[in-house]
Amino acid sequence: MKLIVPIAALLPVAVRVFAQEISQRPTLTPSPYSPRVPFPNPPPRDNDRVCVVMTHGDGITDDSLNILFAFHQCNDGGHVLFARGETYTIGTAMDWSFLNHIDIDIQGRIQFSNDTAYWQANSYPFVFQNVTSFFKLGGEDVWIYGGGTLDGNGQIWYDTYAAEIYTLRPVLVGIDGLKDSVLSDLVLRNSPQYYHFVANASNVVFNNIDIAGGSTSKNTAKNTDGWDTYRSEDVTIMNSVINNGDDCVSFKPNSTNILVQSLSCTGSHGISVGSLGQYPLAFDIVSSIMVSNISMCHASDGARIKVWPGVASTMSPDLQGGGGSGAVFNITYEDMTINDVDYAIEITQCYGQKNLTLCQQYPSPLTIEDIHFRRFKGTTSSKYEPLVAAFACSSDKVCGDIYAEDIDVRSPKGKKEAYCLNQEVVNLQGVQCTANYKGFN
Ligand SMILES: *[C@@H]1O[C@H](CO)[C@@H](O)[C@H](O)[C@H]1NC(C)=O
Ligand SMILES: *[C@@H]1O[C@H](CO)[C@@H](O)[C@H](O)[C@H]1NC(C)=O
Ligand SMILES: *[C@@H]1O[C@H](CO)[C@@H](O)[C@H](O)[C@H]1NC(C)=O
Ligand SMILES: *[C@@H]1O[C@H](CO)[C@@H](O)[C@H](O)[C@H]1NC(C)=O
Ligand SMILES: *[C@@H]1O[C@H](CO)[C@@H](O)[C@H](O)[C@H]1NC(C)=O
Ligand SMILES: *[C@@H]1O[C@H](CO)[C@@H](O)[C@H](O)[C@H]1NC(C)=O
Ligand SMILES: *[C@@H]1O[C@H](CO)[C@@H](O)[C@H](O)[C@H]1NC(C)=O
């Protein structure tokens, strides 16, 4: 810790100035697993280079220029401080992909403006689905921590989306091309859509992230995934608490070597591979994923693999697909405790299609193999009673090598049945396979 001198004199809009202490860098303790690539461990930054971000502090006036100014001034070896007790307003989309060798210490609160028209016209578009974000974070050797809050002002978006499903709701933390970086000790609230979209990332760690938010109106907070990874490798997500309404973590196309461990997820759609195979000309790969030590409460699923069928299908007007190929392999889910979850495990190659016969007639060209589930315990919800899981391959030619062991999960009535389609039943230990189909989530 060190007292620092603000650079207020240089700032275009200096309002208030405090000398304040900067946070210690967080310690990263991976457990139960260590990642394949060691966590980033850069030398400390120059403690004489601290840029305190100035704020208008009225909760309305845009502080974006002050933020960009501080990032540029202290990039390449310094610290940026969002001061404790201050609120910063962001009303402008910012490109933060120039960041390099920098520690960003967020102790205060950063709130995104509620100008839905502005954000829809100006937020950063990603080349995946219709994802956009408030800012685009990239660069190398970027550490963001400090215990502060990013608030996405989600309510206005949940209400706007309910009236118009093509509303482009920004992701709270949009990442494109981030390397050797760490986000830790952050509080994320009320994201309009996903909390994190992690694209083109390698060796990035998310540690001790506290996610929560929900709607206070009758309109639900939809698609509020905790993390979606895309075209990324060597990403670790750990030691975090997530209260949301969609996937806790989701592995989108070309996610490999991802470690997800020691999370507590509540209210989610589980930890999901996919959905994949949505686009006919694409080849999606998800491989070498380890998910370990997860508590999953009040959720639709625990462990999930969702793949579109080989035939065009419609989930909802803004979610359609099918026919895409690719491969899912070497996926492990272990030590999952479930409580009030509809399916502890769900594998489907019939995502977005209600007609199971059609899925078997047109099997997905996206293969699933070398999948392991072990040491699950707990109780499901009554939704699919007596089923606790569903293992559904559209054909054994495109999907196999699926193993379950040590599955000690019961339905509320004490059953442990699983819907099995095209499975090597002997490999699924701890559940009783039946042909009793009760649907997919
Ligand atoms: C948007 O935010 C401004 C500034 O905080 C506030 O005055 C206004 O009432 C908000 N508008 C809506 C629709 O919530
Ligand atoms: C990721 O990198 C690729 C290749 O450089 C680029 O085309 C794409 O726009 C980047 N972003 C996303 C979200 O894929
Ligand atoms: C993106 O939004 C447009 C309408 O703005 C919609 O037609 C299209 O289906 C959406 N694409 C995806 C992948 O959701
Ligand atoms: C995923 O990787 C495969 C193999 O390298 C490539 O063919 C495909 O275009 C990639 N897809 C995306 C979305 O990047
Ligand atoms: C499992 O996760 C919990 C937090 O959800 C943590 O307290 C515990 O230490 C973790 N166990 C291991 C072996 O890492
Ligand atoms: C399978 O994935 C695990 C991570 O769960 C990784 O350690 C291992 O190297 C992968 N195996 C292969 C053959 O890539
Ligand atoms: C489901 O698909 C099968 C095979 O194409 C078809 O014969 C059947 O009529 C479909 N069922 C419904 C309810 O659409």
Side-chain angles (χ1 to χ4, degrees):
M1 302 264 207
K2 188 172 188 298
L3 270 184
I4 47 124
V5 183
I7 53 155
L10 300 171
L11 286 168
V13 203
V15 178
R16 273 179 282 173
V17 174
F18 294 103
Q20 204 169 339
E21 289 184 337
I22 51 176
S23 306
Q24 292 278 0
R25 250 190 211 161
T27 307
L28 305 174
T29 312
S31 173
Y33 290 100
S34 290
R36 163 180 97 132
V37 176
F39 286 156
N41 186 20
R45 312 297 175 207
D46 180 352
N47 276 357
D48 294 328
R49 280 186 65 205
V50 178
C51 298
V52 181
V53 183
M54 294 297 111
T55 171
H56 296 82
D58 57 8
I60 298 170
T61 312
D62 189 6
D63 294 311
S64 298
L65 279 179
N66 294 348
I67 294 170
L68 278 180
F69 185 79
F71 282 3
H72 279 289
Q73 286 288 308
C74 279
N75 203 21
D76 295 307
H79 304 253
V80 166
L81 173 63
F82 290 83
R84 188 180 307 282
E86 297 289 355
T87 294
Y88 297 83
T89 301
I90 294 184
T92 305
M94 281 179 279
D95 185 344
W96 294 346
S97 54
F98 61 88
L99 294 172
N100 197 27
H101 307 304
I102 187 169
D103 278 32
I104 298 172
D105 182 359
I106 304 177
Q107 299 181 12
R109 180 180 191 85
I110 298 176
Q111 178 133 16
F112 293 86
S113 79
N114 60 12
D115 187 345
T116 55
Y118 168 81
W119 287 113
Q120 287 197 77
N122 295 286
S123 52
Y124 281 95
F126 285 79
V127 294
F128 179 68
Q129 295 186 341
N130 282 328
V131 175
T132 68
S133 69
F134 287 127
F135 56 82
K136 186 167 77 174
L137 171 63
E140 279 180 48
D141 185 17
V142 179
W143 282 63
I144 306 181
Y145 52 87
T149 299
L150 270 67
D151 186 334
N153 223 329
Q155 189 62 48
I156 193 163
W157 293 99
Y158 313 145
D159 296 335
T160 307
Y161 178 74
E164 169 56 59
I165 59 164
Y166 297 112
T167 303
L168 291 175
R169 296 161 293 158
V171 160
L172 185 56
V173 178
I175 290 176
D176 196 347
L178 186 66
K179 291 189 171 50
D180 302 321
S181 295
V182 174
L183 285 83
S184 184
D185 302 81
L186 296 172
V187 177
L188 306 185
R189 292 288 179 265
N190 308 310
S191 179
Q193 218 203 149
Y194 312 155
Y195 282 85
H196 301 85
F197 186 67
V198 183
N200 291 328
S202 71
N203 198 18
V204 173
V205 184
F206 298 89
N207 176 64
N208 191 24
I209 308 287
D210 170 345
I211 290 178
S215 177
T216 54
S217 75
K218 65 179 195 320
N219 304 314
T220 46
K222 291 225 172 104
N223 311 109
T224 50
D225 301 19
W227 286 263
D228 277 32
T229 60
Y230 180 69
R231 293 179 160 169
S232 293
E233 61 183 356
D234 297 302
V235 172
T236 301
I237 300 170
M238 62 183 197
N239 304 328
S240 295
V241 177
I242 302 95
N243 277 274
N244 69 340
D246 205 313
D247 295 328
C248 187
V249 181
S250 171
F251 311 106
K252 300 295 190 205
N254 294 12
S255 296
T256 60
N257 289 294
I258 315 283
L259 173 59
V260 174
Q261 60 186 358
S262 302
L263 304 188
S264 169
C265 308
T266 301
S268 78
H269 292 178
I271 297 189
S272 304
V273 173
S275 62
L276 302 177
Q278 188 170 359
Y279 307 108
L281 297 175
F283 193 89
D284 299 341
I285 298 171
V286 173
S287 67
S288 298
I289 308 278
M290 169 59 80
V291 178
S292 183
N293 187 34
I294 308 292
S295 148
M296 184 67 69
C297 290
H298 312 307
S300 69
D301 295 270
R304 187 176 191 186
I305 299 178
K306 44 184 176 179
V307 168
W308 291 81
V311 61
S313 304
T314 299
M315 186 78 168
S316 60
D318 61 339
L319 190 55
Q320 315 183 357
S325 60
V328 174
F329 57 95
N330 190 19
I331 314 289
T332 302
Y333 287 90
E334 62 173 39
D335 292 306
M336 195 172 259
T337 304
I338 66 144
N339 171 14
D340 187 29
V341 173
D342 300 339
Y343 276 138
I345 300 168
E346 179 179 9
I347 298 182
T348 177
Q349 283 180 307
C350 201
Y351 186 67
Q353 175 56 254
K354 293 202 169 57
N355 190 337
L356 198 52
T357 314
L358 205 54
C359 294
Q360 288 172 261
Q361 206 172 356
Y362 300 97
S364 171
L366 197 149
T367 59
I368 299 179
E369 61 194 344
D370 191 10
I371 313 292
H372 303 263
F373 304 95
R374 50 180 175 250
R375 298 190 299 272
F376 278 50
K377 61 180 186 206
T379 311
T380 58
S381 75
S382 58
K383 181 169 179 187
Y384 296 111
E385 176 79 56
L387 302 178
V388 299
F391 299 88
C393 291
S394 52
S395 152
D396 60 9
K397 296 193 174 50
V398 290
C399 174
D401 265 333
I402 297 173
Y403 302 88
E405 61 184 301
D406 235 326
I407 306 297
D408 184 16
V409 175
R410 301 273 173 172
S411 72
K413 289 188 177 158
K415 306 288 193 201
K416 49 191 303 190
E417 292 179 22
Y419 172 65
C420 299
L421 180 65
N422 295 315
Q423 298 299 308
E424 286 280 1
V425 169
V426 64
N427 292 339
L428 302 179
Q429 290 172 15
V431 295
Q432 287 162 359
C433 276
T434 76
N436 176 15
Y437 173 63
K438 305 203 94 177
F440 298 121
N441 282 321

